Amino acid sequence: MNTALTVETPAEEPCCEPSTAPALNAADAQESARILKALSDPSRLRLLSIVKAGDGGGTCVCDLTEPLHLGQPTVSHHLKILVDAGLLEREKRGTWAYYSLATGALERAAAMITGL
Amino acid sequence: MNTALTVETPAEEPCCEPSTAPALNAADAQESARILKALSDPSRLRLLSIVKAGDGGGTCVCDLTEPLHLGQPTVSHHLKILVDAGLLEREKRGTWAYYSLATGALERAAAMITGL
DNA sequence: CAGCTATATCGACAATTGTCAATCTATGGG
DNA sequence: CCCATAGATTGACAATTGTCGATATAGCTG
């Protein structure tokens, strides 16, 4: 809050330009943050890594629970967050649910960062 | 937890491979999550965006407070998180503090995602 | 249908986080 | 030396989040 309310304004050197650039608006920032928030947890990063390393057929939850040392409900919860963020896709075959990377999702997330 | 402890194991169709891939270990995941967590807040994304849009001389805090409609302590807090994450650099000139993008930081963060 | 198994959902709880008001620190000017 | 200003730090508080145990749902098998 520069140059305001004071009786007399010295204003010899206004620290810098008001930066009239539009930058990122609040709505876009919130949407981007929603995606990045899904990526900001170590357990979810490991889940993505395991799914990505798996073959194209998808990875089932039973093989995701053990390497993370997390309970099944917790893994299911993380997977839901990743699906809601558009990073993973879920396909149910019989009793099992298979997760696979949403095509281009990681690249889009990365572009959100470099394109700030 | 497949094929364990049950008296007799049907195991007709073991949902999928145990996925022997190393994937991301816990330590690396935590370090990556630390960086991405700094990027997972809309206010911080906007701060980065404004700083990036500014000229090379750096942007001072007074010009970051107003466009975000946030108090000065809050902006200072966010800036500290971004500096601690290695995304911003702080330089104090006289009374003012100028922030600028750490070179290559955004690209490194983006590579962390695509290189999962 | 009854029982089993894989996964999802719910409820709770501790830990973390974003924000603000108040205060502290440091720099510059009279 | 005293005051004004820019910015950082502290303390508090509500909101969100990660995790778990318990329970619900859906598909397979006998």
Side-chain angles (χ1 to χ4, degrees), chain B residues 9-102:
Chain B
T9 41
E12 314 174 10
E13 199 176 349
C15 69
C16 47
E17 315 274 305
S19 171
T20 57
L24 195 60
N25 69 29
D28 289 347
Q30 188 149 21
E31 175 58 18
S32 296
R34 208 177 61 83
I35 312 289
L36 292 174
K37 196 162 293 193
L39 286 164
S40 69
D41 178 83
S43 298
R44 289 197 286 271
L45 288 179
R46 300 184 75 190
L47 285 176
L48 285 172
S49 168
I50 296 174
V51 169
K52 188 180 184 186
D55 52 359
T59 315
C60 79
V61 178
C62 62
D63 284 334
L64 293 169
T65 304
E66 189 214 340
L68 264 64
H69 302 297
L70 287 178
Q72 173 265 318
T74 302
V75 171
S76 225
H77 173 235
H78 284 312
L79 289 171
K80 177 173 172 45
I81 290 176
L82 291 170
V83 169
D84 287 350
L87 296 164
L88 283 186
E89 277 168 359
R90 178 179 181 271
E91 182 201 2
K92 190 154 189 190
R93 289 204 297 266
T95 313
W96 297 293
Y98 292 84
Y99 288 87
S100 53
L101 276 184

Side-chain angles (χ1 to χ4, degrees), chain A residues 62 72-73 76 90 95-96 99:
Chain A
C62 62
Q72 173 266 318
S76 224
R90 176 179 183 271
T95 312
W96 296 293
Y99 287 87

Side-chain angles (χ1 to χ4, degrees), chain A residues 28-73:
Chain A
D28 289 346
Q30 189 149 21
E31 176 58 18
S32 295
R34 209 177 61 83
I35 312 287
L36 292 175
K37 196 162 294 195
L39 286 165
S40 69
D41 177 83
S43 298
R44 288 196 287 272
L45 288 179
R46 299 184 75 191
L47 285 176
L48 285 172
S49 168
I50 296 174
V51 169
K52 188 180 185 187
D55 52 0
T59 314
C60 78
V61 178
C62 62
D63 285 333
L64 293 170
T65 305
E66 189 213 340
L68 263 65
H69 303 297
L70 286 178
Q72 173 266 318

